[in-house]
Amino acid sequence: MHIAVCMKQVVDLEHIRIRPETREPVLEGLPVKFGGFDKNALEAAVRIKEADQTTKVTVVAAGSAKLKDTVKEALAMGADEAVLLIDAAFEGADSGGSARLLATAIQKLGDVDLVLLGEGSADEYSGEVPARLGELLGVPQVTCVRELEILQGGGIRVTQDLEDELEVVEVDLPAVVGVTSELNEPRLPSLTAILKAAKKPVQQWTAGDLGVTADMVGAGAAKVQTLSNRAPEQARKGLVYEDPEEGIVEVVKALRHEGVLKT
Amino acid sequence: MSSTLVYSEREAVRLELLAGAREIARARQLSVAVALLGPGSAERAEVYFAHGAEQVFVAEDSMLGEQQTDACAQALAQIATQAEADLVLIGSTRRGRALAPRLAQKMEAGSVTEALGLAVHEGRLLVRRYSLGGNTVREVAITSPKAVIAVVPGTFEVAQADAKVDGAVVRVPMALTASRARVVEHKKKQVGAANIEQAERVVCIGRGVEKREDLQIIEALVKALEGELAGTRPLAYEFGWIPEDRMIGISGKAVRPQLYVAVGLSGQIQHAASIRGSKVILVINKDKSAPIFAMADYGIVGDLYEVVPRLTQALQRGP
């Protein structure tokens, strides 16, 4: 079986600062990494491979040149190889463009049976790419997956985590599966795994390699245009008491005054 | 003439979206239609006319009995064509968040999920949603002729059922390709007594609570407040101290109570996005550099094992 794991390089959200004057985030110079759910997807793929050595795991990721560094962790976690989609033509894509780019790369790989990815990316958490990818590839898509099992004789059985129920679904392959963090605990690669990863094949595909243009997968194809992206105006009072004694008295008084206690 | 089409797998959410769609439709002078999927769904059509829908489109194909995303997306695309819909509003539930982009891909439409609000300005559809892990709010404009927007439940209020629309039920014959995904089992989740999303007061605990037995202290506070207990992911999922339907955060629920009390939790950014709608936020934490204090209306720096019991007593004493 050939599994493609789509991963997204995102800025490390723990390091984001907000400029107080403009309420805009400072993103320049921040470290980048793969999102948490993406690693759950990769971990699931590697476990399938460990149970069945004929399985091949390919990471497919689009992004900036920093990907060449970022992808090393994924290879150390157990992916066999990586395809990096790096080209100025891919910049400014909305989720439709990103999905089309990934779909084109997956079709170029040719023999992919299962596409695994995070249910949502760490930064936007829109969950759009798994759904659009399913449609573009013409295959079923299941998202919010917290359990995944390969069935004898092909196909998979997955458990979808919905608000008030779990839904168990059997899906023919090929399929697209979006996973949640409940699926597994991604491994921390060992030193030997990190050293071995350096020798694993990494291909880089450009717009020319894929036969696409910015008007198909980049800014020219975007149907959603960002007007602004700012921290919400903070209207919190921020009255913090360092003396608990005083704090309890004042807080109870204030909560009564606010009218938020049961009357 | 184009229209706005509304769909969710939940009736309560359909009614909310219908109210929102009517507001938007007024600005654009368009009609509003509702889609109902699955066998027997036409029975509820009258409800939507009372809430102001001009048309109700019904697809009763047996393949729509289970809410499989690819089948529902096919059905809605066919209905959207018949309704001449250029805007489709879908409830951003977990199913809806998967359905909306798939439908958008079929319709060659721009899409946004988890929308917090939408407006029409100078003929353009503007949508707001959280971004960068909840640190910021992104405002976007849809630049394509068609749009599919998944709106967070609770964004619009259900309108009075006083419309006297003499609407039409339109049965749409379906040409569906069978899904290659089959539902084999439904398992009910362990469901707690209350719905934390609707609670007026919520006490949410984090890793600062050291042992399961210590929940007693917290439960006393919850009782004094007549509120509901909630927790962060480690408490619900890793430790299993509270049921998962009381989990707040990115893979759990978002709450917007009158009063939100954070006890012994640091407030990772995703947590912040899930509690932002709270009217008043009280934080109790012994680490005064905990990020959650940045969101506090009121904060008490102190050991929860001392502060919580005394706060409970103070609340019980009454004014």
Side-chain angles (χ1 to χ4, degrees):
Chain A
M1 176 153 52
H2 188 180
I3 304 175
V5 181
C6 301
M7 302 183 79
K8 182 180 178 188
Q9 175 179 263
V10 294
V11 294
D12 191 338
L13 298 171
E14 303 290 333
H15 289 87
I16 289 184
R17 281 191 311 108
I18 302 292
R19 271 195 194 94
E21 319 81 62
T22 59
R23 304 201 318 275
E24 283 172 339
V26 184
L27 301 175
E28 297 78 31
L30 288 188
V32 290
K33 59 179 189 181
F34 284 135
F37 296 95
D38 306 27
K39 289 187 189 169
N40 295 110
L42 177 58
E43 177 66 32
V46 172
R47 288 187 193 182
I48 294 168
K49 180 188 160 69
E50 283 168 345
D52 166 24
Q53 292 296 326
T54 65
T55 293
K56 178 170 140 187
V57 178
T58 304
V59 169
V60 182
S64 72
K66 287 183 184 167
L67 262 181
K68 287 180 250 180
D69 247 348
T70 310
V71 79
K72 287 177 185 163
E73 186 186 9
L75 294 168
M77 281 177 68
D80 295 299
E81 49 189 80
V83 172
L84 307 183
L85 314 173
I86 304 173
D87 197 311
F90 307 154
E91 286 168 19
D94 64 2
S95 53
S98 304
R100 187 170 292 277
L101 175 60
L102 292 169
T104 310
I106 288 163
Q107 278 159 343
K108 187 174 158 76
L109 285 170
D111 57 351
V112 172
D113 303 292
L114 176 61
V115 179
L116 286 176
L117 66 178
E119 205 258 306
S121 64
D123 53 353
E124 299 303 303
Y125 206 76
S126 75
E128 290 204 44
V129 168
R132 285 183 177 266
L133 201 49
E135 179 64 24
L136 283 161
L137 295 172
V139 303
Q141 127 236 0
V142 202
T143 50
C144 296
V145 165
R146 61 182 290 167
E147 285 171 42
L148 168 66
E149 178 192 349
I150 306 290
L151 296 175
Q152 298 287 337
I156 53 173
R157 181 187 291 136
V158 297
T159 302
Q160 240 185 322
D161 194 343
L162 301 170
E163 283 87 349
D164 42 20
E165 66 167 347
L166 300 173
E167 188 173 83
V168 184
V169 188
E170 289 182 359
V171 191
D172 298 338
L173 296 180
V176 174
V177 172
V179 310
T180 70
S181 54
E182 280 74 22
L183 184 63
N184 55 43
E185 193 65 44
R187 70 194 64 194
L188 293 170
S190 67
L191 187 59
T192 30
I194 293 168
L195 292 172
K196 259 173 50 191
K199 297 194 192 74
K200 289 183 175 175
V202 177
Q203 294 189 66
Q204 203 173 308
W205 291 350
T206 63
D209 296 325
L210 291 166
V212 296
T213 62
D215 285 343
M216 293 160 73
V217 298
K223 297 179 169 75
V224 178
Q225 179 199 351
T226 295
L227 303 178
S228 67
N229 194 7
R230 289 197 196 100
E233 274 184 86
Q234 185 64 272
R236 298 286 169 196
K237 297 190 181 68
L239 292 170
V240 177
Y241 297 92
E242 295 198 32
D243 172 9
E245 198 78 46
E246 181 198 1
I248 289 168
V249 175
E250 293 303 319
V251 163
V252 171
K253 224 187 282 174
L255 296 182
R256 290 220 162 89
H257 183 72
E258 298 256 13
V260 295
L261 297 178
K262 189 86 184 171
T263 44
Chain B
M1 193 183 97
S2 46
S3 69
T4 301
L5 182 67
V6 162
Y7 176 75
S8 169
E9 75 279 8
R10 300 182 183 190
E11 181 165 288
V13 178
R14 287 196 291 266
L15 291 172
E16 286 174 25
L17 294 177
L18 179 53
R22 286 177 73 194
E23 274 173 46
I24 294 162
R26 262 194 290 277
R28 304 166 74 217
Q29 299 186 318
L30 297 179
S31 68
V32 174
V34 173
L36 300 176
L37 304 183
S41 55
E43 289 164 24
R44 301 294 294 161
E46 289 305 319
V47 177
Y48 301 95
F49 296 131
H51 282 86
E54 277 129 330
Q55 281 179 303
V56 174
F57 290 86
V58 178
E60 294 201 307
D61 193 294
S62 62
M63 265 193 265
L64 299 167
E66 294 283 358
Q67 297 280 330
Q68 281 310 292
T69 307
D70 51 351
C72 290
Q74 286 181 56
L76 287 173
Q78 290 169 34
I79 290 173
T81 303
Q82 183 148 354
E84 295 181 38
D86 63 354
L87 172 61
V88 183
L89 299 185
I90 288 183
S92 202
T93 58
R94 292 192 189 175
R95 286 192 198 275
R97 203 169 57 203
L99 173 62
R102 186 146 189 156
L103 175 63
Q105 189 65 43
K106 277 187 193 292
M107 293 173 62
E108 296 184 17
S111 59
V112 178
T113 59
E114 301 277 324
L116 302 168
L118 49 165
V120 177
H121 182 68
E122 291 174 355
R124 286 202 303 178
L125 182 64
L126 309 183
V127 189
R128 286 180 302 115
R129 78 186 304 282
Y130 283 124
S131 168
L132 296 173
N135 276 293
T136 56
V137 173
R138 188 188 287 277
E139 185 173 42
V140 300
I142 305 295
T143 56
S144 51
K146 292 179 184 173
V148 180
I149 312 295
V151 183
V152 173
T155 300
F156 302 115
E157 271 183 42
V158 176
Q160 296 280 333
D162 56 3
K164 294 191 178 65
V165 178
D166 187 16
V169 177
V170 184
R171 286 172 194 273
V172 185
M174 289 282 116
L176 301 177
T177 311
S179 175
R180 290 191 294 112
R182 296 161 303 278
V183 177
V184 293
E185 192 184 354
H186 292 274
K187 295 187 212 169
K188 276 276 156 234
K189 277 192 181 176
Q190 178 198 355
V191 176
N195 179 355
I196 60 167
E197 289 157 300
Q198 305 291 329
E200 300 244 311
R201 283 162 296 277
V202 173
V203 178
C204 183
I205 52 176
R207 284 180 185 275
V209 177
E210 288 162 15
K211 298 192 300 293
R212 189 173 195 152
E213 300 85 86
D214 302 341
L215 285 181
Q216 287 173 18
I217 306 170
I218 310 296
E219 275 158 4
L221 174 63
V222 170
K223 198 167 165 226
L225 285 170
E226 295 183 45
E228 291 293 338
L229 176 68
T232 57
R233 189 172 180 280
L235 278 90
Y237 184 70
E238 286 168 35
F239 307 161
W241 293 353
I242 58 167
E244 279 182 36
D245 66 342
R246 290 176 184 267
M247 179 165 91
I248 291 178
I250 196 158
S251 56
K253 289 178 171 171
V255 294
R256 42 171 142 196
Q258 290 286 300
L259 173 63
Y260 175 85
V261 187
V263 180
L265 66 89
S266 62
Q268 300 298 325
I269 35 195
Q270 283 93 348
H271 188 82
S274 307
I275 64 168
R276 201 150 251 159
S278 307
K279 184 179 172 208
V280 173
I281 296 178
L282 166 62
V283 173
I284 299 166
N285 199 303
K286 63 182 172 192
D287 175 10
K288 76 171 178 189
S289 64
I292 188 76
F293 276 118
M295 293 200 70
D297 289 296
Y298 304 99
I300 301 173
V301 182
D303 185 348
L304 73 91
Y305 289 90
E306 289 166 24
V307 175
V308 170
R310 282 157 59 194
L311 177 63
T312 306
Q313 280 173 9
L315 288 164
Q316 283 163 340
R317 272 200 297 274

